[in-house]
C-alpha cells in the first residue's frame, strides 16, 4: 500500500493534519505541506463537540483531548440587559446517545499538535513546515503540485490532493471554485484574560450573552502554563480601525463595559477576525478535494466550524481508503460533495446564522419571543434533547449515516 504515490495535503492546520492521521492509520502514504514554520497558536477554535469526540476516539486522540482540555456539559444564554439566564442547555441529555455527553474546551493548536505527534509514528506520513503549495495540475490518474520552500520550487506528484489550506485556499482558487455566501461587515474581537470569570459567573463555562447593542460570549479554555484562561468574544463596528480597537485602553474599556470589576484586566491576547458565511460551490473537482475552512467558513457562535471540518476529514479519508484499497468504485468519491455540502448549509450555516441573529436582535418583541422560545425548548426534555443533538452535531452525523455509501 505504501509504495503508491502519496496523497498530498495542502495546509497543516487542524483539518489537514487530522485528515493525514486518518489516512496514515489506514496505511496510506501522505505528505502534508504547511506554509507556516510551525502550528498556528492564535486563539480560534476551542469547543469540541460530542460527535467530533467520537471521531477523535476512532483516531486514538480523545483521551488526550479530554485530559488536556476542559470538560463542560452545559451552555447558557443570558440577557445582558437584566444579566439573567434565559436558558440553560445540558449535553448530559445525550448520555444514552454518546459516550461523550459534553463539550471539551481544548484549543485547536493543541489538537493539531496531538495529530502531528501521532503522525511521527508512521514512516509513510510526512508533515513539512515552511512549504507553500502554489499551483496544481491533475490528470485522469494523478495530481501534481508546485511547492515553494527554502529549497526553492519543487514539483511533487501524488495520487490525490486535499486542499485544507484555510478560508483563503489557494487550492480552491486554483480549481476556480466559487466561495458562495457573504462576509459580515463587522469584525469579531477575542480578548483572552487570566481572570477567573467563573468566580463571578459560577456554574457554567460556556456563556452567550445576548444584547441589541453589544453582545458578547465568554468561555473558559484549559490555557497554558499560566493556568486556565477565559476568552471574551464580541463584535465591533464596521468603521472601527485596528488602532481604535486594539489599544490597551480600548480593550480595558470593552471588558469593563461587559464585565465590570475593580482593577484592570490582565489581557494576554487581543485578536480581530473577519467573519464570513461561505460554502464552496463544490467540494471536489476530479482528484482534488476541499476540506475544513477551504470548503466552508462561518461565524464562531456555536463552535461548529472546526468540528465540521474534522467530520470532513474523517469522511473523506474513509472514502479515499476504500477506493484505493479497491473495496469500492471511484464513483463513491462523489458522495463527499453530494452530502457534506448540504449538511454544512443545514447544520453549520443555519445554526451559526441563527445564533448570531439571536445574540444581536434589536427588536424588543422579537428578543422576548426568542427568549421565550429558548425557555420553552429547554423546559421540555424532548425539545431540549433535540436542541443539544443539533448543537453537538450528533444530528448531522446521524443524518449522514442514514444514507450509507
Ligand atoms: C474566533 C474564532 C473562534 C472559533 N471557535 C471555534 C470553535 O469553538 N469550534 C469550532 O469548531 N470552530 C471554531 N472556529 C473555526 C475554526 O477556527 C476553523 O474552522 C479552523 O481553524 C479550520 O481549520 P482548517 O485546518 O480547515 O484551517 P486553518 O486552521 O485556517 O488552517 C489552514 C492552514 O493552511 C495553511 N496554508 C494556507 N495556505 C497554504 C498553502 N498555499 N500551502 C500550504 N499551507 C497553506 C495555513 O498556514 C494554515 O496553517 C473559530 C474561529 C474563530 C476565528
Amino acid at each position: 500500500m505504501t509504495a503508491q504515490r502519496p496523497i498530498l495535503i495542502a495546509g497543516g492546520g487542524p483539518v489537514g493534519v487530522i485528515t493525514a492521521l486518518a489516512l496514515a492509520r489506514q496505511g496510506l502514504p501522505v505528505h502534508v505541506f504547511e506554509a507556516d514554520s510551525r502550528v498556528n497558536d492564535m486563539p480560534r477554535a476551542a469547543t469540541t463537540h460530542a460527535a467530533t469526540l467520537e471521531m477523535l476516539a476512532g483516531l486514538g486522540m480523545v483521551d488526550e483531548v479530554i485530559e488536556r482540555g476542559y470538560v463542560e456539559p452545559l451552555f447558557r444564554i443570558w440577557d445582558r440587559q437584566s444579566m439573567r439566564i434565559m436558558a440553560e442547555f445540558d449535553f448530559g441529555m445525550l448520555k444514552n446517545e454518546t459516550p461523550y455527553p459534553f463539550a471539551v474546551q481544548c484549543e485547536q493548536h493543541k489538537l493539531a499538535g496531538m495529530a502531528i505527534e501521532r503522525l511521527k509514528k508512521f514512516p509513510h506520513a510526512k508533515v513539512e513546515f515552511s512549504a507553500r503549495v502554489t499551483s496544481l495540475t491533475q490528470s485522469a490518474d494523478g495530481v501534481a503540485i508546485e511547492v515553494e520552500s527554502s529549497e526553492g520550487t519543487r514539483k511533487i506528484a501524488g495520487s490525490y490532493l486535499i486542499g485544507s489550506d484555510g478560508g483563503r485556499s489557494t487550492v480552491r482558487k486554483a480549481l476556480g471554485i466559487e466561495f458562495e455566501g457573504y462576509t459580515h461587515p463587522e469584525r469579531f474581537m477575542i480578548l483572552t484574560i487570566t481572570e477567573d470569570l467563573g468566580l463571578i459567573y459560577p456554574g457554567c463555562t460556556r456563556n452567550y450573552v445576548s444584547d441589541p447593542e453589544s453582545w458578547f460570549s465568554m468561555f473558559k479554555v484549559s490555557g497554558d502554563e499560566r493556568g486556565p484562561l477565559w476568552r471574551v468574544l464580541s463584535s465591533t463596528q464596521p468603521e472601527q480601525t485596528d488602532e481604535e480597537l486594539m489599544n490597551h485602553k480600548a480593550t480595558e474599556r470593552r471588558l469593563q463595559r461587559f464585565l465590570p470589576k475593580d482593577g484592570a484586566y490582565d489581557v494576554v491576547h487581543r485578536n480581530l477576525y473577519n467573519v464570513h458565511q461561505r460554502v464552496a460551490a463544490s467540494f471536489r473537482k476530479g482528484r482534488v478535494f476541499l476540506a475544513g475552512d477551504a470548503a466552508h467558513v462561518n461565524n464562531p457562535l456555536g463552535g461548529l466550524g472546526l468540528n465540521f471540518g474534522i467530520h470532513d476529514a474523517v469522511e473523506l479519508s474513509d472514502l479515499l481508503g476504500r477506493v484505493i484499497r479497491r473495496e469500492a468504485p471511484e464513483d463513491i468519491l462523489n458522495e463527499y460533495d453530494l452530502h457534506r455540502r448540504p449538511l454544512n448549509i443545514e447544520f453549520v450555516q443555519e445554526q451559526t446564522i441563527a445564533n448570531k441573529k439571536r445574540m444581536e436582535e434589536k427588536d424588543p418583541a422579537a428578543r422576548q419571543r426568542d427568549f421565550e422560545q429558548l425557555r420553552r425548548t429547554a423546559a421540555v426534555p424532548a425539545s431540549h434533547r433535540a436542541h443539544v443533538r443539533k448543537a453537538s452535531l450528533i444530528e448531522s452525523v446521524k443524518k449522514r449515516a442514514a444514507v450509507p455509501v
Side-chain angles (χ1 to χ4, degrees):
M1 189 69 78
T2 52
Q4 64 193 203
R5 286 165 303 169
I7 297 168
L8 308 179
I9 300 184
V15 172
V17 294
I18 289 172
T19 309
L21 180 62
L23 292 165
R25 285 170 59 96
Q26 299 177 61
L28 300 170
V30 284
H31 192 154
V32 180
F33 300 88
E34 166 53 45
D36 277 351
S37 57
R38 61 189 188 94
V39 172
N40 181 338
D41 62 1
M42 298 281 271
R44 290 172 72 190
T47 304
T48 313
H49 287 295
T52 314
L53 293 167
E54 290 185 32
M55 292 180 196
L56 294 175
L59 296 174
M61 286 175 63
V62 78
D63 292 342
E64 190 178 347
V65 172
I66 290 173
E67 189 190 311
R68 294 179 61 191
Y70 193 85
V71 172
E72 178 56 87
L74 305 177
F75 62 99
R76 284 177 177 164
I77 293 139
W78 299 67
D79 169 27
R80 178 160 171 244
Q81 293 181 332
S82 61
M83 222 38 207
R84 283 179 41 224
I85 298 165
M86 293 293 111
E88 177 177 282
F89 289 95
D90 184 357
F91 289 120
M93 297 288 279
L94 302 173
K95 65 178 188 302
N96 295 329
E97 298 191 49
T98 174
Y100 311 104
F102 43 75
V104 179
Q105 299 292 113
C106 183
E107 298 90 325
Q108 72 177 59
H109 67 272
K110 294 179 184 165
L111 277 186
M114 288 176 211
I116 291 170
E117 270 312 302
R118 283 161 175 75
L119 280 167
K120 288 179 185 161
K121 295 188 196 114
F122 297 100
H124 50 280
K126 191 167 171 191
V127 181
E128 193 176 329
F129 286 94
S130 305
R132 177 178 292 279
V133 176
T134 54
S135 67
L136 65 98
T137 53
Q138 60 171 318
S139 63
D141 64 353
V143 294
I145 55 172
E146 277 199 334
V147 177
E148 271 176 19
S149 67
S150 56
E151 295 166 27
T153 302
R154 283 176 292 156
K155 200 160 182 168
I156 305 209
S159 53
Y160 294 93
L161 170 65
I162 298 169
S164 52
D165 49 346
R168 294 186 189 140
S169 171
T170 301
V171 172
R172 189 188 63 241
K173 288 176 192 158
L175 294 173
I177 294 176
E178 275 299 303
F179 211 18
E180 296 170 348
Y182 58 92
T183 297
H184 293 283
E186 73 275 33
R187 291 180 293 170
F188 283 11
M189 178 181 271
I190 286 214
L191 298 172
T192 308
I193 57 178
T194 56
E195 273 76 11
D196 184 0
L197 296 181
L199 296 176
I200 317 170
Y201 302 98
C204 175
T205 57
R206 300 185 66 236
N207 297 278
Y208 297 92
V209 186
S210 166
D211 184 69
E213 304 305 329
S214 46
W215 60 264
F216 66 99
S217 64
M218 44 180 172
F219 294 87
K220 185 173 180 173
V221 294
S222 59
D224 51 25
E225 61 287 347
R226 284 170 286 227
L229 298 169
W230 281 76
R231 290 181 182 171
V232 180
L233 173 76
S234 60
S235 178
T236 66
Q237 299 299 322
E239 63 283 1
Q240 286 178 300
T241 64
D242 286 25
E243 205 140 90
E244 283 168 5
L245 290 165
M246 296 288 262
N247 69 72
H248 175 79
K249 276 195 181 148
T251 54
E252 180 61 25
R253 244 194 335 267
R254 177 175 287 262
L255 286 167
Q256 291 288 355
R257 192 170 75 229
F258 295 146
L259 303 156
K261 77 167 187 89
D262 293 336
Y265 277 96
D266 176 26
V267 181
V268 294
H269 292 293
R270 301 171 167 76
N271 294 92
L272 276 172
Y273 294 96
N274 291 317
V275 193
H276 318 270
Q277 308 286 161
R278 291 185 186 273
V279 183
S282 168
F283 286 14
R284 177 193 179 200
K285 203 169 202 174
R287 302 178 83 83
V288 186
F289 301 84
L290 300 175
D293 276 20
H296 42 76
V297 285
N298 53 272
N299 81 63
L301 297 169
L304 296 175
L306 174 57
N307 280 269
F308 197 88
I310 293 172
H311 301 196
D312 293 344
V314 169
E315 171 152 6
L316 180 55
S317 53
D318 175 57
L319 292 172
L320 283 171
R322 289 159 71 183
V323 168
I324 293 169
R325 287 190 299 274
R326 300 189 193 287
E327 292 165 11
E330 193 141 29
D331 286 1
I332 65 158
L333 297 175
N334 293 333
E335 303 284 319
Y336 180 69
D337 176 58
L338 192 68
H339 294 286
R340 299 222 56 78
R341 199 176 171 280
L343 275 185
N344 183 274
I345 294 168
E346 181 179 351
F347 288 93
V348 177
Q349 301 300 329
E350 283 185 11
Q351 284 199 86
T352 56
I353 291 168
N355 289 345
K356 180 172 184 292
K357 189 169 179 305
R358 204 165 44 220
M359 292 283 277
E360 65 192 13
E361 180 60 63
K362 294 209 182 310
D363 175 9
R367 279 175 68 71
Q368 287 319 310
R369 268 200 310 276
D370 283 347
F371 289 147
E372 193 42 47
Q373 193 186 1
L374 283 170
R375 268 195 293 260
R376 263 187 279 130
T377 304
V380 179
S383 55
H384 191 132
R385 197 171 301 114
H387 190 82
V388 290
R389 271 175 127 234
K390 220 171 159 187
S392 63
L393 291 181
I394 284 184
E395 184 74 28
S396 81
V397 171
K398 291 240 153 90
K399 184 163 183 178
R400 176 67 192 93
V403 195
V405 181

